[in-house]
Amino acid sequence: GEGALHTVVSEVLRRGVAMLGALSGRCRSVGFAVRQLLEQDPTLRFEGALEQLSRIPLVAPVYFTLCGTEPGEGAILVRGPSPLSSFPPL
């Protein structure tokens, strides 16, 4: 019906906008963002990774499960194309 068509059109438009963001260099694919993060600093610790993954512009929504090596170092980031302003610790 009409509702299903609206949902499909909305999803196509959302993906098109995301692709344009990626092509213009403003956003990154999730895989590329993680790869770039690890290549830039292979010794990156939990807090630095958490901060960078919460700020980097992404092309698509994603769940990041981030674990550190110390007790209390754990977070689940629910991300979309815009950066996070805060996140609850685990």
Side-chain angles (χ1 to χ4, degrees), residues 17-75:
V17 168
M19 284 190 288
L20 286 174
L23 292 172
S24 70
R26 291 182 301 130
C27 297
R28 295 181 185 98
S29 72
V30 174
F32 184 74
V34 171
R35 178 182 170 184
Q36 187 177 34
L37 180 70
L38 295 173
E39 284 178 345
Q40 285 177 352
D41 186 359
T43 63
L44 189 63
R45 303 286 299 167
F46 174 79
E47 289 296 328
L50 184 62
E51 179 185 333
Q52 289 190 37
L53 289 173
S54 66
R55 290 186 300 122
I56 196 164
L58 299 171
V59 74
V62 67
Y63 286 87
F64 285 115
T65 305
L66 189 63
C67 303
T69 59
E70 301 296 324
E73 290 184 339

